[in-house]
Amino acid sequence: MSRIDTSGPAIGEPRPGRLRAYVRVRAGGLPAAFWVLWGGSLVNRLGSMVNPFLSLYLTGVRGLSVATTGLVLAVVGIGSVVSQPLGGFLADRFGRRVALTGGMLANGTTLLALGHARSLTLLVACCFVLGITIDLFRPAAQALVADAVPAADRTRAYGLLLWAVNLGFSVAMVLGGHLASHGGRLLFWLDAGACAFFGLLVWLAIPETRPAARERTAGSYRTVLRDRAMLAFAGLIVGYAIVFQQAFATLPLAMTGTALSSSAYGLVMGVNGLIVIAVQPLIGHRLAAFDKSRVLATGFTIAAAGNAVAAAASATAGYALAVAVSTLGEILVFAVTAAVVADLAPAHLRGRYNGLIGMAWGTGFLIAPIVGTRLLVIGSTTLWLTCTALCLAAAAGQLALAPSLRRRTEAAAGT
């Protein structure tokens, strides 16, 4: 009788090398500069506790009325519209490292000033500067990925960044909620410390990736604004951003309007982070094999389905299902959007192109509460069906834009 080999893995244990292969397919082959950026982004998001709890800080700690708090938060929104176009200019003019590190240090300094501000005038001024500095780093970070990562791997790289951001944000929401209930002062120091860590890490560990002076040609935001394909794409992102932001602007109001508690809203939004963390590693590495416009159109369509589910929801489970479906669309949209911008942008204008798409997101976020609350007054069904229609229009627009994007991508690959 032959001897039974007991040297292999036990039942239920992973085979040797299986985990290594799993990680290699999803995360292998990316340059060291990307992983420094990835790690810094994770730490930065772990410390990003002020913005989600700013309204609670202003009302609970500073004693502002709800109406005044709304106006102060609107000032943050106005500043944020300026943030990324300015960051894009800085990234192209002075380099990715200067823009990212400078943006992070400026944001950290502003957070400390805001945490120690006492008068309403100073609070408003700090909140406006906070809006300007909060995303000042983002165009430089997106351009850095496009500079350092080969085109074939960019969709996967941007997906991994999305995963790190959501992982950090999910932890920050839990920790920040606990700290906010104890006065909130520590929130500002932790957030500022995370900003400083991220900025200095990039400065010390990542070489400048901006094209050398001899490789750069003249260009400005006028060049970007003459790019019809880019403008059309930015317009589609504005439409989707209006819908995306309803999860924060009107979903809690819609849920409380059906006698659901704020804790039910927190539970529903927790579904979003869990799905991104669980699903993105499973599909992120596969997206590069598909046409980007079709991936985006699919994402917009899935988001439309999620909003259609919200139109019929009246209980926590229904809203959780709506968020779960919308999140699947979000994963596709966020993973591919930055890769599309990288395809469209000349290397020396990547900062400005990312600044424009960032402005598109900011514009959508600014419009969202204004439009959403008015639609909600008419009825929650009207709000969610309008969002459904906007997503379907974005999907149709993306498919119409697809031939132009393909020609640009093919032309860039041939040069």
Side-chain angles (χ1 to χ4, degrees):
M1 186 171 63
S2 62
R3 178 176 176 271
I4 298 175
D5 183 7
T6 59
S7 62
I11 295 174
E13 292 183 2
R15 294 178 181 176
R18 179 177 292 180
L19 179 60
R20 184 181 302 172
Y22 178 90
V23 173
R24 184 172 61 250
V25 168
R26 288 155 179 79
L30 296 172
F34 169 79
W35 289 114
V36 172
L37 184 68
W38 187 92
S41 298
L42 177 60
V43 172
N44 183 48
R45 278 298 174 175
L46 286 170
S48 296
M49 303 175 193
V50 170
N51 202 43
F53 296 97
L54 185 56
S55 60
L56 295 178
Y57 173 79
L58 293 174
T59 55
V61 178
R62 291 290 167 247
L64 302 184
S65 68
V66 173
T68 303
T69 296
L71 293 175
V72 173
L73 294 179
V75 170
V76 179
I78 294 170
S80 67
V81 173
V82 181
S83 182
Q84 294 202 51
L86 176 59
F89 165 77
L90 295 174
D92 287 339
R93 178 67 178 81
F94 299 104
R96 319 312 191 200
R97 294 165 73 236
V98 168
L100 199 155
T101 300
M104 282 286 95
L105 295 179
N107 187 230
T109 302
T110 304
L111 287 166
L112 292 179
L114 176 59
H116 290 81
R118 293 295 178 267
S119 69
L120 180 60
T121 301
L122 190 55
L123 277 173
V124 171
C126 288
C127 283
F128 178 66
V129 178
L130 178 68
I132 293 176
T133 60
I134 197 166
D135 282 327
L136 202 60
F137 79 99
R138 195 173 302 279
Q142 303 284 38
L144 195 155
V145 174
D147 293 341
V149 177
D153 291 326
R154 284 176 190 155
T155 299
R156 181 164 59 102
Y158 286 122
L160 287 168
L161 272 182
L162 172 66
W163 187 83
V165 165
N166 277 275
L167 177 61
F169 181 75
S170 298
V171 176
M173 288 292 287
V174 175
L175 182 57
H178 174 72
L179 294 175
S181 65
H182 291 80
R185 176 69 64 82
L186 188 58
L187 292 178
F188 293 92
W189 283 95
L190 289 175
D191 204 337
C195 289
F197 175 86
F198 186 21
L200 293 175
L201 179 67
V202 168
W203 184 261
L204 295 173
I206 297 182
E208 180 57 59
T209 62
R210 182 180 57 153
R214 63 180 180 276
E215 300 173 9
R216 297 198 298 269
T217 56
S220 65
Y221 270 115
R222 286 193 296 271
T223 308
V224 184
L225 294 175
R226 287 196 295 266
D227 188 334
R228 294 183 179 181
M230 182 61 188
L231 286 181
F233 183 59
L236 296 176
I237 292 301
V238 170
Y240 175 74
I242 292 172
V243 176
F244 176 82
Q245 189 66 6
Q246 298 308 322
F248 306 96
T250 56
L251 179 59
L253 301 177
M255 291 182 66
T256 55
T258 56
L260 296 174
S261 66
S262 58
S263 61
Y265 171 68
L267 179 64
V268 165
M269 289 307 295
V271 171
N272 172 267
L274 289 174
I275 289 180
V276 172
I277 292 168
V279 173
Q280 195 283 326
L282 299 178
I283 67 171
H285 64 293
R286 303 178 187 274
L287 295 179
F290 298 93
D291 177 77
K292 294 183 182 69
S293 289
R294 291 181 180 177
V295 173
L296 279 167
T298 302
F300 293 146
T301 303
I302 294 173
N307 283 274
V309 172
S314 59
T316 301
Y319 285 112
L321 177 61
V323 169
V325 175
S326 296
T327 301
L328 295 176
E330 172 194 333
I331 293 171
L332 298 181
V333 172
F334 275 82
V336 176
T337 296
V340 170
V341 176
D343 288 344
L344 290 173
H348 67 289
L349 291 176
R350 281 175 177 152
R352 289 180 175 89
Y353 269 72
N354 280 291
L356 178 63
I357 208 67
M359 186 177 184
W361 285 106
T363 301
F365 292 168
L366 191 60
I367 295 171
I370 300 171
V371 173
T373 51
R374 280 157 178 74
L375 290 173
L376 186 60
V377 169
I378 300 172
S380 61
T381 301
T382 301
L383 168 64
W384 302 123
L385 290 182
T386 301
C387 290
T388 300
L390 269 175
C391 286
L392 291 175
Q398 188 63 49
L399 292 176
L401 186 60
S404 177
L405 296 183
R406 290 190 200 106
R407 286 194 296 271
R408 290 281 293 275
T409 302
E410 291 167 0
T415 57

